[in-house]
Each structure stands twice: as structure tokens, then as C-alpha cells.
Amino acid sequence: MKRIILFALFLQFILVTSAQTIATEKKIEALIKKMTLEEKVGMIHGNTAFSTAGVKRLGIPELIMSDGPHGVNYERPLDWSTPRPPSLDSGTYLPVGICLASTWNPALGYEFGKVLGSEAAFRKKHIILGPGINIMRNPLNGRNFEYQSEDPYLISKMVVGYIKGVQEQGVAACVKHFIANNQEVQRNSINVEMSERALREIYLPGFKAAVEAGVSTIMGSYSQFRGEYCTHNDYLVNKILKGEWKFKGPMISDWGAVHNTMQAIENGCDIEMGSELAMLPNINYSKFFLGDTVVSLVKAGRVKEALIDEKVRRILRVMYQYNMIEGKMRAGQYNTRAHQLTALKVAEEGIVLLKNEQDLLPLNKSTIKSIAVIGNNAIRLQGFGGGSSQVKAFYEISPLQGIKNFVNNEVKIDFAQGYEDHKGATANTELIAQAVSLASKADVVIFVGGWTHGYDYNKWDDNAFDAENVDKPNMDMPFGQNELITALQKANKNMVVVLVGGGAIDMTQCEPNTKAIVQAWYAGMEGGNALANILFGKTNPSGKLPVTFPKKLADASAIKLGEYPGNGINVVYKDDIFVGYRYHDTYNVKPQFAFGHGLSYTQFQYDKLQLTKLSGNVVQVSFTITNTGKVAGAEVAQVYVKQIKSALPRPDKELKDFQKVTLQPGETKKIAIELKADAFQYYNDKLYKWVLEKGKFEIKVGGASDHISLSEIVELY
Ligand code: BGC
């Protein structure tokens, strides 16, 4: 009976939704009929740097967009020279994408999205240009900090919550950059060549999950793919995105990513934004590729107006979805304490404890008398760094401030800068001497260093690590930090190294003599407080790396197997599907810290793995986790699959599920998950389809990709 009622309710839901869809589509067609060609064309290209034109007489508003993935951008100039009218634009600065993904907590992805959506609604933005989900193919990519992971499954899980969170607040999300923006070097021209298998298994799944989650808009990427710009790429946009996946919203170009009017018209680019021209004052937006030329082409009969109608239709769908036409958008909230607490929570769950020998951490403020905090990143504010994702933070707690807040004058805190972070800076003996002098007198040293975040959007240079438009020149610790750390290690054995940054850094010199290492990312406006909570054990760390940290750059898969940054024209992804841990584990290359790694102040024990085969090659996996330590903590249980024998080579392990569980000391919980048939498939690009080959599969369960506690074989057919 219950089932029948549920089915009836479901049916009713489907009928009501499709009736609403039909009614909206009718309204859209009626509006399109009333529009002139010029009005339609006005809607498909920028009329300022962050909006497209509306049609006032028909009640169609301008479509207003804002960056970015971890906070609503400050009011950018309309045409890069005239600022928008002054407004309240210092907002909540959330932790960056890589930190969010390190939480391995999709529910937090949702909370994160809610903050962003609510603040965007308050600021009267219609579209927020995020999340950014390009695969972290190589450790040097300047924008890895904005993205989420090297693993398509983890991205697919995290992206859903983010999108729903934003869109439930009445603002459209814009997942970006579709696809293959995996390096900033020559991003505007480089042609990416990859196998169909790598495309399907690694680079597309996150975007597919976003479309399935109902993302309203998508942004094309700058680069080319198989010889055609991604933003107007017939295969990617027409065939896959709009064909196979049936995406109904607009595909927005990246800023200046359109290069050809006919291709943009025919290959599915619905809105052209930016362009290099937009950087110039007095820009004439009607000269965009999708501007006046389109009007002339239609009038000359060289382009069918129906192609333009289709673009307008897609834009109007977003406008109706969020009640923009009726002018009834949701109000939203700004800079609330609740938003700041979400920023804190994400940072606390995202910061990763990489190493903790002799239980140096957590620090105990009642037994420690003095701490030397060393390093420029302890005081450097990061929110305004990075390029288009920069956020004017309402406030930002630096690591030093967070530590001071926590100890509340109960412990003596001394600070020394230790190194300079301007362009070309190397070890500074005077600063090192000052730092060593403080370190030798302190009970504990907290060194805060790593990468820096380029400050200024318009000043891209090679000092701007973790910034748009530049990649890192190498993986070496910049500014002579190795010399500094070595000197500090000699002065004081009790040193914690806190690494700020958007990804791996070469730690081979500093790691062996450092007892504790914490990966702090760019952790948002509450980052300093979150870090202190972790260092002093108020928060038990539970973050796990969403990307492999190789020991040396030469060990990274894109460098070892693939090509990076290519020959100036093409970059061939010869690393294929062997990205990140898929490479390290299959080719036995030990990383510095593995994908999925992250320590806690407690320990977890995995037991009782049971595999049960259900019909349709579904496998039920169950196991228990026990907190065997003395404090409460959360563990991310990771489930990997390995096919024992396959027609084409497969990785040693692929993440297929994970769950984050919180356990009290001594508590045991049973985890039961179902691996559906697709968890065992791979894309056979000789057959051009996903295949499930019969045979044996190993299910591996553990707390990190290099820490598998349980494994069993299951046979499928
Ligand atoms: C970036 C996008 C961003 C856009 C607008 C581009 O340079 O690649 O991610 O949304 O600028 O600022």
C-alpha cells in the first residue's frame, strides 16, 4: 500500500512538473516571437564585462553574473574602467575549492553553495560563476586551488551539493570550465589531445554529474580540444553536452574565449562574454563575435534565425527558473554570522594533518609557555589573491591572528617574518637569524609558509603562485624557505610546518626532520581560527587530500607519462587515464603524501568486510569502523575497485565510494554501501562504449589510497 501511495505521489510530481515545463516553454516561445532580431542578439553577448542586455519593453532583465567559486566577487568595473556604483561588496570569503574537496563531505558542499547563493542573491546577481571543477592533472597548474580534485568520483560527489546549495537560493550556478583547462600556460590557444577513454573516464564525469544535478548554466574553457575551441566545439557542446546529456541551459563562453562567429553560432555557444577587447576602455560590445555580425548574417540569409532563437530560449529558461522575468528573485542574506560559521566549518574539515610524529600535535596551551610563529604566510591575507576568483573579504583571520585568538594571552606568542615573498626573493640571512633567535627560545615553533597567492588580478607575474593565467615555474619551495626551515629545525626540534597553498610543494628537504606538517590551503576568512582550533585540538582534523602530493615534480604523472605544457601548439595527454593516484599506484611510484591521506588525533580500525552480490551486478559492501583512540573524530572511509584482469589496462585502484563518519572513543559503526554496475565499468575506446567485463574485481577499503585495511574479491558476470 505504502509503495502504491509513493508511486502515485511520484507520478503526480512528474505530471505537475511536466505541465509547468510545458507552460514555461509556451511563455518562452511567445516572448521570442515578440522580439526583434537585434533584441535577441543583444542577449547573446556581453553588454558590460559581467552582464548581457535585457529587453526592457518585454520585461526581460539584464542577466548579471559574478565570480566566483568561493565568494561573490567585489563589484568589478563595467568595462574595466568605470566602476559600478559603490556598493556593499566585502563579503563572505569561503575556503577555496581544493579545501572544500578536502572535507570529503558533500553535505558541506551544500552548505557552502547555500552561502554563495544567498550572498549572490543579496547582491542581485543572477549567475554565480562557479564551481570550478577541472581535473588537477598536474601540480603546477596555477588554478588548482580553485578546483577540487584529481579524481572524477570525488568531484562528482562534491559538485552536486554545491550546485543545489547555490540554486536553492534562487541563483544559477555556472559549472566551469568545460573542459580541459588543466593548465594556465597558453590557455588561450593550446590544443588538448586526449583519448576518448581519458575524456570519458577522467575529464567528463564531474560535468556530467553537474548536469544531472540540474546546473542551470555552464562555462566553456579557453583551450582547444581536438582542434576546435572548447567554447564552440561541436563534439563537446553539441554532441555530448546538449546531445547525449540533454543540457537545456545556456553555454556561456569564458571571457574572451570565442574566436569565430560561425562556430559560435553553430556549435552551441549561447552567450559570448568578455573578450580581450573588454579590457580596453570604451569598448564597443556590439563588435563581439556574437554581436552585430550575427544580425548581418541573419539578414543576409546566411544564418537561420532559428539558431539564434535557440540561444535566447536557453537564456530565457534560466530567467523563468529564477523568476527573473517577473522580477521576483529571492532576497538573500549577506555577511551573516551563520555564513561565517560555514566558512569556519569548511576550513576545519578541509585542513589536512599530513604528519604528526611523537604526537607533537595537538598543542596543549596549559603546558606550553611560548610559541614562535615564523613565516610570512602567518600574516599574509589571501582573499584578494588568485585572479578572477578573488574575494574582498569582510574580514580575514590570518594564521597568526587565529593562534593569538586561541591562546588568549595565556601563551607568549612571538612572530618573525622569516622570509620575504616578493618576486625573485631568496633566503634572507638577516630574517633567518631573527627567526632562529626566536625559535631557539620558544617551546614550540609554528612555521607558516608554502606558496603565496598572487594578489592583483591585473599584475600577473611569476611571483603569483596559485593565480590565474600563470602556472608555477616548478614545485620548489619558493623564497629560500628550505634554508629557513633547515635553520629552524636546528634551533628547535618541536616544529610544526603549516603549508598554505593550492597543492603540492616539494617537501623532500624539509619533511624528514619535521615532526608535524599541516596542509592549510587558502582556508577563507575564518582560516586562521580553523587552523588554531586544529593545532590545539579543539577540532580533531578530518580532512583528506583530494589530490596526490608527489615527492618531486618529475614524479607527477602528467610530467612522467604525459606532456606538459606541450609544444606551444598542442599538449598531448599521454598520461591518459593514469592521472594522480591512478598513476602512482599502478606504476609503483611512492608519493610524498597519497590521495585520500589525512591524519586524526584518534585512530580508526576497519573490520568485517562483507561483499554480497545482488542482481544486476550490484555489490553490497559492508564493513565496520571503530574509533580505537581517546578522542572523538571523523574518518573518511574510502572504497576503491580494481579489476583483476581486463582487456585494456586499468588502474590499480579507482575510488568508487566514500563515507565520512563521526565516532566517539570506543564507538563502532557499520557502513553499508552499494556499488552499482557502473562502478566496475570502464570506457573501451576500441568499442566506443562503457563495458563491464566479467571476472574478478577486488574491493579495497581504507582510510587513504595508500592505506588499505580490508580487501576482498567479488566475481561478476
Ligand atoms: C576566468 C573565468 C572567470 C571569468 C570572469 C576568466 O578569465 O577563466 O573563470 O569566471 O574570467 O571573470
Side-chain angles (χ1 to χ4, degrees):
M1 189 59 186
K2 207 171 154 194
R3 276 193 175 178
I4 297 175
I5 295 173
L6 280 178
F7 182 70
L9 285 174
F10 176 69
L11 206 66
Q12 193 188 11
F13 173 76
I14 297 287
L15 290 176
V16 171
T17 326
S18 37
Q20 280 168 350
T21 312
I22 293 169
T24 308
E25 292 290 315
K26 271 193 181 156
K27 283 191 209 164
I28 290 174
E29 295 314 314
L31 261 187
I32 292 178
K33 279 209 181 88
K34 290 184 196 151
M35 291 169 72
T36 66
L37 176 60
E38 285 75 6
E39 284 169 342
K40 292 175 192 172
V41 171
M43 289 180 67
I44 66 169
H45 66 82
N47 70 340
T48 74
F50 285 93
S51 60
T52 55
V55 184
K56 222 172 177 182
R57 68 177 185 95
L58 297 175
I60 302 173
E62 277 191 318
L63 188 63
I64 303 198
M65 314 173 194
S66 173
D67 280 304
H70 46 265
V72 185
N73 210 206
Y74 68 101
E75 286 306 326
R76 291 268 194 82
L78 286 176
D79 57 8
W80 306 94
S81 61
T82 338
R84 280 183 187 273
S87 69
L88 181 71
D89 66 354
S90 301
T92 298
Y93 164 35
L94 292 152
V96 298
I98 194 169
C99 181
L100 173 63
S102 301
T103 68
W104 293 59
N105 185 346
L108 264 188
Y110 175 75
E111 294 303 323
F112 184 108
K114 259 173 69 182
V115 172
L116 209 50
S118 172
E119 300 217 341
F122 179 90
R123 293 266 306 277
K124 308 245 179 297
K125 308 293 178 191
H126 300 137
I127 301 179
I128 188 91
L129 304 172
I133 61 163
N134 290 88
I135 289 285
M136 292 172 190
R137 170 177 179 254
N138 111 62
L140 300 185
N141 182 11
R143 288 184 93 173
N144 277 349
F145 73 93
E146 263 186 81
Y147 300 148
Q148 307 217 335
S149 176
E150 67 187 19
D151 183 76
Y153 184 83
L154 179 57
I155 295 174
S156 303
K157 288 288 144 185
M158 295 304 298
V159 83
V160 173
Y162 181 124
I163 289 166
K164 294 205 156 132
V166 168
Q167 298 193 163
E168 281 176 16
Q169 298 302 310
V171 169
C174 180
V175 65
K176 66 190 189 183
H177 309 89
F178 187 69
I179 63 158
N181 197 168
N182 309 107
Q183 65 188 52
E184 290 295 287
V185 172
Q186 290 157 335
R187 68 175 183 179
N188 295 307
S189 60
I190 199 82
N191 174 46
V192 175
E193 293 291 337
M194 68 171 82
S195 72
E196 190 65 16
R197 184 172 178 202
L199 176 70
R200 299 282 170 171
E201 289 188 24
I202 307 290
Y203 295 92
L204 285 181
F207 290 97
K208 185 161 186 269
V211 170
E212 285 166 359
V215 73
S216 297
T217 74
I218 189 164
M219 188 190 295
S221 81
Y222 278 123
S223 47
Q224 302 185 55
F225 175 83
R226 297 185 188 157
E228 214 165 41
Y229 278 98
C230 292
T231 288
H232 36 75
N233 185 297
D234 180 51
Y235 186 56
L236 293 177
V237 186
N238 283 342
K239 303 280 187 317
I240 296 181
L241 177 68
K242 296 182 176 178
E244 287 178 33
W245 300 349
K246 307 202 179 338
F247 176 66
K248 294 278 181 281
M251 153 67 193
I252 304 171
S253 79
D254 200 342
W255 270 232
V258 174
H259 294 261
N260 180 304
T261 299
M262 279 316 286
Q263 283 185 15
I265 291 176
E266 289 176 345
N267 296 349
C269 173
D270 301 304
I271 301 179
E272 179 192 3
M273 291 305 294
S275 126
E276 292 306 307
L277 282 175
M279 303 281 182
L280 303 172
N282 308 320
I283 166 75
N284 182 351
Y285 287 92
S286 59
K287 294 285 169 255
F288 272 25
F289 289 95
L290 289 184
D292 287 350
T293 316
V294 178
V295 176
S296 314
L297 286 169
V298 174
K299 286 195 170 150
R302 287 175 55 202
V303 163
K304 288 205 180 88
E305 193 163 343
L307 283 171
I308 314 306
D309 289 353
E310 173 59 9
K311 297 182 194 302
V312 172
R313 187 174 293 124
R314 287 171 177 272
I315 298 166
L316 288 175
R317 277 192 194 119
V318 178
M319 293 193 164
Y320 274 108
Q321 186 181 355
Y322 298 103
N323 304 318
M324 294 174 202
I325 306 259
E326 293 85 354
K328 282 195 223 134
M329 279 197 66
R330 285 182 58 164
Q333 288 186 312
Y334 206 56
N335 271 329
T336 63
R337 188 63 193 140
H339 290 182
Q340 291 151 12
L341 289 176
T342 300
L344 176 67
K345 178 97 177 108
V346 174
E348 285 177 334
E349 284 202 32
I351 291 174
V352 184
L353 178 60
L354 293 175
K355 181 176 178 184
N356 192 19
E357 271 177 3
Q358 297 163 21
D359 291 339
L360 178 60
L361 293 177
L363 305 172
N364 183 344
K365 69 174 174 177
S366 50
T367 56
I368 292 174
K369 290 195 180 59
S370 63
I371 297 177
V373 178
I374 313 284
N376 203 56
N377 271 344
I379 53 165
R380 182 167 174 139
L381 302 184
Q382 309 281 0
F384 219 61
S388 61
S389 65
Q390 61 192 172
V391 182
K392 205 162 146 190
F394 186 53
Y395 64 82
E396 181 178 342
I397 308 291
S398 68
L400 180 63
Q401 189 57 50
I403 292 166
K404 283 187 174 165
N405 291 349
F406 192 92
V407 301
N408 196 21
N409 291 326
E410 290 163 45
V411 179
K412 184 168 178 285
I413 305 287
D414 288 309
F415 170 73
Q417 187 189 354
Y419 66 91
E420 294 168 297
D421 64 0
H422 61 77
K423 187 174 178 179
T426 51
N428 178 322
T429 42
E430 210 173 296
L431 292 182
I432 294 181
Q434 283 165 11
V436 165
S437 146
L438 286 188
S440 57
K441 286 181 253 157
D443 291 341
V444 175
V445 178
I446 301 176
F447 171 76
V448 190
W451 300 114
T452 61
H453 219 2
Y455 268 135
D456 188 339
Y457 188 60
N458 295 313
K459 274 190 221 150
W460 289 306
D461 60 32
D462 58 5
N463 182 29
F465 306 112
D466 290 321
E468 189 171 338
N469 220 20
V470 282
D471 284 351
K472 293 166 189 145
N474 52 49
M475 232 175 76
D476 302 344
M477 283 227 183
F479 315 128
Q481 289 179 77
N482 271 331
E483 288 90 324
L484 171 62
I485 295 174
T486 307
L488 293 172
Q489 282 165 339
K490 285 189 191 134
N492 195 321
K493 296 276 164 269
N494 291 330
M495 179 156 77
V496 184
V497 168
V498 176
L499 293 167
V500 171
I505 200 162
D506 188 327
M507 298 177 216
T508 45
Q509 193 178 326
C510 89
E511 186 272 336
N513 296 316
T514 303
K515 285 186 191 164
I517 305 179
V518 175
Q519 181 61 46
W521 313 118
Y522 300 107
M525 69 200 301
E526 284 284 339
N529 286 335
L531 176 67
N533 288 347
I534 284 178
L535 294 175
F536 291 92
K538 184 174 174 203
T539 300
N540 191 352
S542 63
K544 302 268 185 178
L545 290 184
V547 65
T548 307
F549 279 11
K551 285 191 171 151
K552 296 250 161 223
L553 179 61
D555 289 348
S557 50
I559 311 288
K560 197 87 172 186
L561 298 181
E563 275 183 7
Y564 165 81
N567 63 7
I569 298 169
N570 297 309
V571 53
V572 186
Y573 288 12
K574 291 182 192 151
D575 39 328
D576 203 49
I577 56 160
F578 293 100
V579 174
Y581 71 91
R582 284 168 165 76
Y583 162 71
H584 284 266
D585 291 355
T586 312
Y587 289 74
N588 289 316
V589 180
K590 209 172 150 22
Q592 186 75 57
F593 292 107
F595 174 81
H597 169 78
L599 303 173
S600 162
Y601 296 143
T602 188
Q603 297 79 42
F604 300 99
Q605 189 180 308
Y606 287 73
D607 290 297
K608 298 188 185 152
L609 175 61
Q610 271 192 335
L611 306 182
T612 315
K613 251 192 314 174
L614 308 176
S615 64
N617 282 326
V618 174
V619 177
Q620 198 177 62
V621 180
S622 70
F623 53 93
T624 61
I625 308 182
T626 305
N627 179 347
T628 56
K630 293 193 178 63
V631 287
E635 167 71 331
V636 178
Q638 301 159 40
V639 180
Y640 296 88
V641 171
K642 172 187 185 168
Q643 185 171 354
I644 304 293
K645 239 186 185 174
S646 48
L648 297 184
R650 293 197 70 177
D652 174 71
K653 58 175 79 72
E654 291 171 67
L655 182 73
K656 293 299 172 184
D657 211 334
F658 62 87
Q659 276 209 15
K660 192 163 192 172
V661 269
T662 301
L663 295 163
Q664 297 306 314
E667 188 183 358
T668 299
K669 272 188 188 159
K670 183 174 173 181
I671 310 285
I673 56 146
E674 271 186 10
L675 293 177
K676 305 251 160 44
D678 61 4
F680 304 99
Q681 294 177 339
Y682 70 94
Y683 192 85
N684 185 321
D685 50 4
K686 299 212 162 57
L687 305 172
Y688 278 87
K689 61 174 188 188
W690 289 93
V691 293
L692 198 167
E693 293 167 341
K694 72 173 190 180
K696 292 184 178 147
F697 293 81
E698 188 182 354
I699 312 293
K700 310 182 189 207
V701 178
S705 64
D706 67 343
H707 199 264
I708 298 302
S709 305
L710 308 167
S711 82
E712 283 287 341
I713 302 280
V714 65
E715 204 158 346
L716 301 180
Y717 39 83

